[in-house]
């Protein structure tokens, strides 16, 4: 059951399209304090609180304070409170589980037992919001209801389930060709190469640098023939430059965000001084979206939207102010306080939240200061793109994922988990975020495999891929200045080929589970607690995941570990995929086991009376043969084991066509 409660008058987010009637009574379970703009709930001693989508820390969010405040912050540390997304959904898993969604576009604070161990306190920056309270049979059911409320998740083209290689940046055609050639020569499958900001002409959106990519359309064609999709980045900030059509058109039509006095708001990002298209204005969105045509026309079929929190290096006004103040320090003998103030003048320029109070949106006739609707900006940008694709290329699916997001954006694109580091702890964070993102509708997601910042090691790359082969978005990406991490940079090529090859063998299964989750509003990845209620041990497992209805994952995430402890809530079949192509099947009893996992093995668990389907090895998604699938079963009493897989052409949009569902049945030996 879903109940909707109104407080003040919310600025519409369109997270929920079909709203149930508002309730007159009180919000159940919570204490509502309008004066303090607060909702409080007393948690049971052992109640688990899930949700909040993309954020730091555990699957169980208890014991920390979080914020919904889309932030460009590459330090994903335990003491942070927010990352790039604002996903205001919580699920309380206690005696009577419930879900709560706070639909509110400004900053929200979720104190989940931080101030007081047993108190959940949600505080809004102002009192204009809508709250959805959801009860149901169990956690999974509550999530399904919530997902039904917010609408179907974005579905990418099938090729987007292939392996993607990215780097900030491959600088020119030859560097891209080299990436493709090396993968092909070594027999490592690959479906996409990502282009980061340097493909553009001086970081201008919807331009291509003619020196490094002299004939972009022809190059796309060449790559398509090699089975590769190029995926360029699009930034939120539009360069201020006379003669640049995106800038000139935007100015002429008044489509950029403005300051209080009506002049355009200028902030510096990659291209230097830049303007932000008003992503909250429907005409500006349509206009910005149409610009993607420039790249679609040249054969591009996928994009990633970056810097759309929006990220700001500095604003003209704050920079001028800082420079004036810095002058006063000249020749001064600075004491401690003065030195810190001096330093902060410069460090405080970047992503200063005060800047969000300096510009306005025209929300189709209503002028709104940015900070009140901050969390909608990336959503608006990705919506601009998604709606444009539906208009411009209605016949096919286009790959789209974004950095910033709000619930509602999940209908237009996926997200990647942002600028993580080549740290073992971030491999685990990648795992922990999968279910919370799924709860909030983000199914097409994954982290930068191998880590974005910092230097990766070969063992970390291998271990991370052993998780990454299961995430819908499987992309190896790293920052400028870090150690190269294309898999051919390392020694254990056979192991990498095996891991990535296995991903392709799993695609019929992964794609089917993805489609089922998208079409029925289910979660593809779940904490163990969801499927094994009442199992106190399962409830606390934070380093294993359920995938679909069939699999359990338990990857290694510690360096120099030759294996790990795995908890099995029930008897399952352990599948060990070895580098020599063999699959060892062992039945393991319920309970804890220490499992040896060499760097080149992938070990997963198949649940009782379930089936896993596997394709043959290929070099790109197009070649996968969905008709001849190998089956592995974990027979446990059932006479027949069934699996329904999803098969379509991978680019059309007739998702619901029942012919796409194909059932495989296997009789078990008695
Ligand atoms: O300020 O485009 O998260 O994936 O490589 C950094 C350069 C801007 C941040 C993205 C990252 C991308 C990088 N971008």
């Amino acid at each position: 059951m879903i109940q909707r409660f109104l407080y003040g008058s919310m600025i519409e987010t369109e997270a929920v399209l079909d709203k149930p009637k508002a309730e007159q009574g009180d919000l159940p379970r919570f204490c509502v304090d309008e004066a303090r703009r607060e909702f409080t709930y007393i948690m049971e001693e052992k109640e688990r609180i899930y949700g909040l989508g993309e954020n730091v820390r555990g699957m169980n969010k208890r014991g920390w304070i979080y914020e919904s405040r889309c932030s460009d912050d590459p330090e994903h540390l335990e003491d942070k409170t927010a990352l790039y997304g604002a996903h205001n959904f919580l699920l309380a898993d206690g005696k009577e589980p419930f879900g709560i969604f706070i639909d509110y576009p400004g900053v929200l604070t979720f104190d989940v037992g931080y101030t007081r161990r047993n108190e959940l306190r949600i505080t809004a920056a102002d009192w204009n919001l809508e709250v959805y309270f959801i009860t149901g049979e169990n956690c999974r059911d509550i999530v399904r209801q919530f997902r039904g409320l917010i609408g179907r998740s974005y579905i990418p083209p099938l090729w987007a389930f292939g392996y993607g290689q990215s780097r900030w940046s491959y600088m020119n055609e030859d560097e891209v060709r080299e990436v493709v050639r090396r993968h092909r020569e070594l027999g490592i499958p690959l479906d996409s190469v990502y282009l980061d900001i340097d493909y553009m002409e001086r970081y201008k959106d919807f331009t291509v640098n003619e020196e490094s990519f002299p004939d972009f359309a022809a190059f796309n064609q060449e790559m398509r023939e090699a089975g590769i999709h190029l995926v360029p980045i699009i930034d939120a900030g539009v360069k201020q430059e006379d003669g640049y059509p995106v800038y000139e058109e935007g100015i002429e039509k008044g489509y950029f965000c403005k300051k209080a006095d009506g002049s355009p708001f200028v902030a510096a990002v990659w291209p230097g001084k830049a303007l932000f298209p008003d992503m909250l204005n429907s005409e500006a969105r349509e206009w910005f979206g149409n610009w993607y045509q420039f790249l679609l026309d040249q054969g591009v079929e996928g994009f990633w939207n970056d810097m759309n929190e929006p990220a700001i290096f500095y604003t003209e006004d704050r920079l001028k102010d800082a420079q004036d103040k810095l002058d006063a320090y000249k020749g001064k003998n600075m004491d401690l306080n003065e030195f810190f103030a001096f330093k902060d003048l410069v460090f405080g320029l970047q992503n200063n939240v005060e800047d969000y109070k300096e510009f306005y949106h025209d929300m189709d006739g209503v002028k709104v200061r940015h900070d009140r609707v901050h969390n909608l900006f990336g959503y608006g940008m990705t919506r601009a793109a998604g709606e444009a694709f539906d208009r411009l290329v209605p016949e096919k699916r286009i790959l789209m994922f974004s950095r910033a997001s709000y619930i509602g954006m999940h209908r237009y694109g996926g997200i990647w988990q942002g600028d993580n580091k080549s740290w073992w702890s971030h491999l685990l964070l990648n795992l922990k975020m999968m279910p919370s993102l799924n709860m909030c509708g983000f199914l097409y997601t994954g982290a930068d495999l191998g880590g974005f910042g910092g230097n990766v090691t070969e063992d970390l790359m291998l271990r991370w891929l052993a998780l990454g082969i299961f995430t819908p978005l499987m992309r190896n990406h790293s920052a400028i200045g870090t150690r190269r991490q294309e898999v051919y940079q390392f020694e254990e090529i056979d192991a990498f080929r095996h891991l990535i090859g296995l991903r392709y063998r799993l695609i019929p299964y992964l794609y089917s589970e993805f489609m089922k989750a998208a079409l029925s509003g289910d979660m593809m990845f779940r904490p163990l607690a969801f499927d094994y209620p009442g199992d106190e041990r399962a409830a606390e497992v934070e380093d294993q995941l359920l995938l679909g209805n069939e699999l359990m994952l338990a990857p290694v995430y510690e360096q120099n570990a030759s294996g790990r402890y795995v908890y099995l809530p029930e008897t399952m079949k352990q599948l060990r995929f070895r580098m020599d192509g063999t699959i060892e099947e062992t039945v393991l009893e319920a309970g804890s086991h220490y499992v040896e996992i060499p760097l080149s093995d992938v070990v997963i668990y198949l649940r009782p009376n379930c089936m896993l389907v596997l394709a043959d090895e290929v070099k790109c998604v197009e070649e996968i043969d969905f008709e001849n699938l190998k089956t592995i079963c974990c027979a446990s009493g059932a006479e027949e084991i069934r699996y329904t897989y999803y098969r379509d052409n991978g680019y059309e949009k007739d998702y619901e066509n029942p012919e796409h569902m194909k059932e495989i049945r296997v009789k078990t030996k008695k």
Side-chain angles (χ1 to χ4, degrees), residues 560-606:
N560 303 318
S562 49
R564 58 164 287 174
Y565 281 96
V566 178
Y567 176 65
L568 270 65
E570 61 184 330
T571 299
M572 296 183 189
K573 187 182 263 186
Q574 176 179 278
L575 306 180
R576 178 183 297 274
F577 296 85
R578 290 221 174 83
M579 203 159 65
D580 62 9
T582 56
I583 305 169
E584 182 191 274
E585 304 178 23
T586 323
V587 174
L588 277 194
E589 298 289 307
S592 277
H593 302 266
Y594 185 81
V595 181
E596 298 272 350
I597 310 175
L599 282 173
S600 56
D601 282 10
V602 174
V603 177
I604 58 177
Y605 300 86
L606 183 59

Side-chain angles (χ1 to χ4, degrees), residues 207-231:
T207 66
V208 173
N209 184 318
E210 288 179 3
E211 272 162 42
S212 37
F213 294 89
D215 188 342
F216 196 56
F219 187 56
N220 267 286
Q221 183 59 30
E222 175 190 329
M223 286 294 120
R224 288 299 303 114
E225 280 158 20
I228 299 292
H229 285 87
L230 294 179
V231 187

Side-chain angles (χ1 to χ4, degrees), residues 219-262:
F219 187 56
N220 267 286
Q221 183 59 30
E222 175 190 329
M223 286 294 120
R224 288 299 303 114
E225 280 158 20
I228 299 292
H229 285 87
L230 294 179
V231 187
I233 194 170
I234 305 294
D235 275 7
V238 168
K239 185 173 170 68
Q240 182 181 47
E241 184 183 275
D242 290 336
Y244 167 42
V246 186
Y247 166 69
E248 289 196 337
E249 254 182 52
I251 287 288
E252 190 196 303
K253 305 222 165 100
Y255 288 156
F256 294 116
C257 294
K258 298 182 184 70
K259 295 202 286 193
D261 66 6

Side-chain angles (χ1 to χ4, degrees), residues 6-77:
L6 304 182
Y7 302 94
S9 61
M10 182 190 71
I11 300 172
E12 188 50 57
T13 67
E14 292 177 79
V16 178
L17 296 177
D18 219 346
K19 298 187 179 186
K21 255 225 182 87
E23 302 281 332
Q24 297 307 318
D26 291 339
L27 178 67
R29 315 286 278 277
F30 281 81
C31 200
V32 180
D33 185 336
E34 174 169 355
R36 306 169 79 145
R37 304 182 312 278
E38 255 174 29
F39 301 89
T40 42
Y41 166 70
I42 303 301
M43 298 180 283
E44 295 157 19
E45 190 58 34
K46 289 211 159 176
E47 188 163 10
R48 288 172 301 279
I49 308 291
Y50 295 107
L52 298 181
E54 182 183 42
N55 217 315
V56 295
R57 298 206 170 208
M59 291 189 211
N60 181 354
K61 292 297 186 206
R62 260 182 104 145
W64 192 240
I65 187 163
Y66 306 87
E67 275 182 307
S68 277
R69 179 201 293 277
C70 296
S71 312
D72 164 28
D73 187 342
E75 307 295 330
H76 304 178
L77 301 166

Side-chain angles (χ1 to χ4, degrees), residues 72 84 167-168 196-197 233 235 270 304 306-307 313 403 416 418-419 448 452 475 477-479:
D72 164 28
Y84 313 87
R167 175 77 182 177
W168 172 14
D196 209 321
I197 46 178
I233 194 170
D235 275 7
W270 284 107
W304 46 313
D306 191 19
M307 305 293 272
F313 291 169
R403 196 170 70 176
W416 88 100
D419 296 347
D448 288 351
F452 174 76
R475 180 178 77 142
H477 179 50
S478 56

